Amino acid sequence: MSNIILVGAQWGDEGKGKIIDILAKKSDYIIRYQGGNNAGHTIKIGKKQFILHLIPSGILHPHTRCVIGNGVVVDPEALFKEIAFLQQEGISVRKRLCISDRAHLIFPFHPLIDTLREEDRQKRAKIGTTKRGIGPCYGDKMMRLGIRMCDVIDEAYFRERLANILLEKNRIFKNIYKSPSCSYQKLLITYRNYAKRLKPYITDTTLLLNDAIGKKKRLLFEGAQGTLLDIDHGTYPFVTSSNATAGGAMTGTGIGPTHIDHVIGVVKAYTTRVGEGPLPTAFSSTMMEKIREKGGEYGATTGRPRRCGWFDAVVVRHAALVNGLTSLAVTKLDVLDELSTIKVCVGYRIKGKIIRNFPANTRLLSNAKPVYEEHPGWMKPTGQSKHFKQLPKKARAYLKRISQLIRVPISIVSIGAERSRTIVL
Ligand code: GDP
């Protein structure tokens, strides 16, 4: 034992990178199953900070093997940059990283479409994408217009497929967006070169992982983004274009659900959201500034300031259900250390009625008024606590109440960015 899926149980940026780094110590394989380089996990080791977008954060532990599953979309240029960065830092990647032969590739026309669409949307509602081409790449995958790792290394097939796909893309660029077309020759040369560099990493990772399970290796599935950004269970349409929830770990790797032992949901002790879409528990502007600064709430991928708010138990209870969470890892408790009163949202008032379940209708959510419970703040530093019992009494009471509301036990409490600032229960 044991195979663990780790997911974000809010809107992403919950501090998954740090928790993965802690769990990676006791894992053999760390696997990304969805998203692309729109994710950004920050891990602090001593004075060094690593921000990883595509390669599983487990790579920082030399004993692990890391896998980019079939559910991930890969921008080769971004991948090579990350490999070079890690190698520069003395971390070996070559023999430890495998990429699924079924993973789809991002092409320059994907970010281009992302940008053109988002600009066009200025007139309507923006989604707030990272413009890395992730959504259009998944769109092509679903429309059966994608190019996978196994396709790009099959040169004859790749030539033909690229030519067919570009025919349609260029018609769209020319006629709808009045923008210049993409050069077939240029793309062919670039991606032929990429294919050579990718080839040593490409393998049937479904077989690799099932084989590892047979050998009783410990697998850790690393979710990117968060439950409320999941294409099915999130605040649609202000979501990412893949299944960030636990189910995505199965379809995104080719592992059966019977092999999973735990599903850990990572939550901040408060709530943040980057990009567009409703955030019912958003702070007032002064409080927003204060927590944003204290918590360093700026996107790891885009640097965008995150909106911050009180802990929303309705959101996390929804996450507990759709992921089947077996425990919670609560991060950034230290950020609340100086507050005299801390609120927790336990329901929404919508059109005069109180509801306690997370609504599907994003428009209703935009008009939801949070129903709060108030808790006294502990007003003491938590960062030095080594055990749960060493946390201030009021901090423990706050955590216990969260766990009670979500109906899921807490297994980890994080009280600082460093590895050492972690309490394992
Ligand atoms: P992820 O995408 O879920 O991994 O989250 P991010 O990496 O975007 O955000 C987490 C940020 O918070 C990083 O800068 C971490 O170093 C930092 N962090 C993680 N856990 C804690 C914690 O318990 N306390 C504080 N103060 N910072 C933390």
Side-chain angles (χ1 to χ4, degrees):
M1 242 273 296
S2 59
N3 300 324
I4 302 172
I5 303 176
L6 184 131
V7 295
Q10 292 160 323
W11 274 282
D13 312 313
E14 296 93 349
K16 296 179 293 297
K18 178 187 160 172
I19 306 298
I20 290 158
D21 181 59
I22 302 281
L23 297 174
K25 254 201 287 188
K26 292 191 176 161
S27 308
D28 301 303
Y29 286 78
I30 327 285
I31 310 120
R32 269 285 300 270
Y33 58 85
Q34 45 76 228
N37 59 318
N38 52 344
H41 292 162
T42 316
I43 305 108
K44 217 168 161 193
I45 304 173
K47 288 210 166 78
K48 263 222 143 78
Q49 178 160 291
F50 294 85
I51 300 181
L52 296 172
H53 300 285
L54 203 48
I55 297 178
S57 321
I59 199 83
L60 303 178
H61 291 265
H63 72 279
T64 60
R65 286 191 79 180
C66 291
V67 173
I68 294 182
N70 58 276
V72 178
V73 291
V74 180
D75 181 332
E77 200 58 55
L79 177 75
F80 298 139
K81 235 194 222 166
E82 214 159 289
I83 293 175
F85 161 73
L86 286 167
Q87 279 169 345
Q88 239 172 37
E89 296 293 330
I91 295 158
S92 81
V93 179
R94 173 58 202 93
K95 293 226 163 70
R96 297 175 47 219
L97 176 70
C98 296
I99 304 173
S100 167
D101 49 4
R102 293 176 172 89
H104 283 243
L105 284 112
I106 295 178
F107 282 78
F109 44 79
H110 291 128
L112 190 59
I113 273 267
D114 236 353
T115 307
L116 291 169
R117 275 211 197 115
E118 198 78 335
E119 275 167 10
D120 195 48
R121 271 196 202 109
Q122 301 283 14
K123 299 159 210 156
R124 298 173 271 138
K126 274 203 325 184
I127 300 290
T129 90
T130 55
K131 298 185 187 151
R132 303 266 156 106
I134 315 286
C137 185
Y138 277 116
D140 278 354
K141 173 178 174 174
M142 291 307 174
M143 291 203 295
R144 277 63 56 89
L145 283 175
I147 295 178
R148 300 169 304 161
M149 292 290 167
C150 59
D151 304 327
V152 80
I153 56 173
D154 177 346
E155 195 176 327
Y157 178 71
F158 175 57
R159 274 171 178 275
E160 194 186 315
R161 184 134 180 99
L162 181 67
N164 283 335
I165 288 169
L166 266 192
L167 216 62
E168 189 194 274
K169 295 282 171 220
N170 280 337
R171 257 188 246 142
I172 294 173
F173 284 131
K174 184 169 166 226
N175 298 322
I176 297 183
Y177 294 110
K178 318 282 179 226
S179 105
S181 55
C182 295
S183 153
Y184 170 69
Q185 276 310 326
K186 220 169 138 184
L187 280 182
L188 190 66
I189 294 166
T190 309
Y191 276 74
R192 230 199 250 148
N193 177 32
Y194 286 161
K196 278 196 202 112
R197 295 166 69 191
L198 286 167
K199 204 169 175 182
Y201 298 97
I202 301 173
T203 188
D204 185 336
T205 54
T206 299
L207 281 183
L208 178 85
L209 293 172
N210 278 288
D211 188 45
I213 289 173
K215 290 179 180 149
K216 305 269 183 263
K217 298 285 182 196
R218 298 156 302 178
L219 274 52
L220 173 60
F221 297 84
E222 169 177 333
Q225 288 96 31
T227 299
L228 276 294
L229 293 174
D230 180 279
I231 184 86
D232 283 283
H233 301 289
T235 43
Y236 194 89
F238 305 104
V239 289
T240 197
S241 35
S242 59
N243 285 115
T245 43
M250 306 291 88
T251 54
T253 59
I255 299 296
T258 43
H259 296 301
I260 301 304
D261 303 293
H262 300 286
V263 184
I264 302 178
V266 186
V267 289
K268 270 179 199 165
Y270 48 98
T271 310
T272 62
R273 175 161 202 178
V274 74
E276 309 298 320
L279 176 65
T281 62
F283 291 133
S284 63
S285 58
T286 345
M287 184 72 174
M288 180 89 78
E289 280 301 308
K290 190 171 161 180
I291 297 294
R292 185 181 287 149
E293 287 315 308
K294 177 108 203 274
E297 298 298 352
Y298 296 91
T301 303
T302 58
R304 292 183 287 183
R306 295 172 185 151
R307 286 177 284 154
C308 310
W310 297 112
F311 186 86
D312 189 335
V314 183
V315 159
V316 182
R317 177 70 195 142
H318 172 66
L321 293 179
V322 301
N323 291 295
L325 296 184
T326 56
S327 78
L328 291 174
V330 182
T331 64
K332 295 195 154 185
L333 187 72
D334 54 300
V335 175
L336 306 183
D337 282 353
E338 287 153 26
L339 303 183
S340 56
T341 306
I342 301 174
K343 294 186 192 180
V344 174
C345 169
V346 294
Y348 302 139
R349 194 182 297 278
I350 300 178
K351 292 184 179 163
K353 269 200 195 133
I354 291 182
I355 65 152
R356 300 204 184 262
N357 299 319
F358 193 74
N361 187 324
T362 307
R363 233 156 51 89
L364 278 187
L365 192 67
S366 306
N367 297 317
K369 298 272 174 290
V371 177
Y372 287 120
E373 241 179 41
E374 287 197 6
H375 296 263
W378 44 95
M379 300 182 79
K380 282 181 195 151
T382 51
Q384 300 301 328
S385 313
K386 297 284 172 225
H387 305 282
F388 188 71
K389 276 191 182 148
Q390 286 175 358
L391 286 171
K393 197 172 167 198
K394 285 174 184 158
R396 279 183 276 148
Y398 177 67
L399 291 170
K400 280 182 187 160
R401 182 61 182 144
I402 285 178
S403 171
Q404 192 182 44
L405 285 166
I406 311 307
R407 286 175 251 166
V408 175
I410 294 175
S411 56
I412 297 174
V413 179
S414 171
I415 43 181
E418 291 85 22
R419 275 178 180 169
S420 60
R421 305 218 163 188
T422 314
I423 300 173
V424 179
L425 274 74

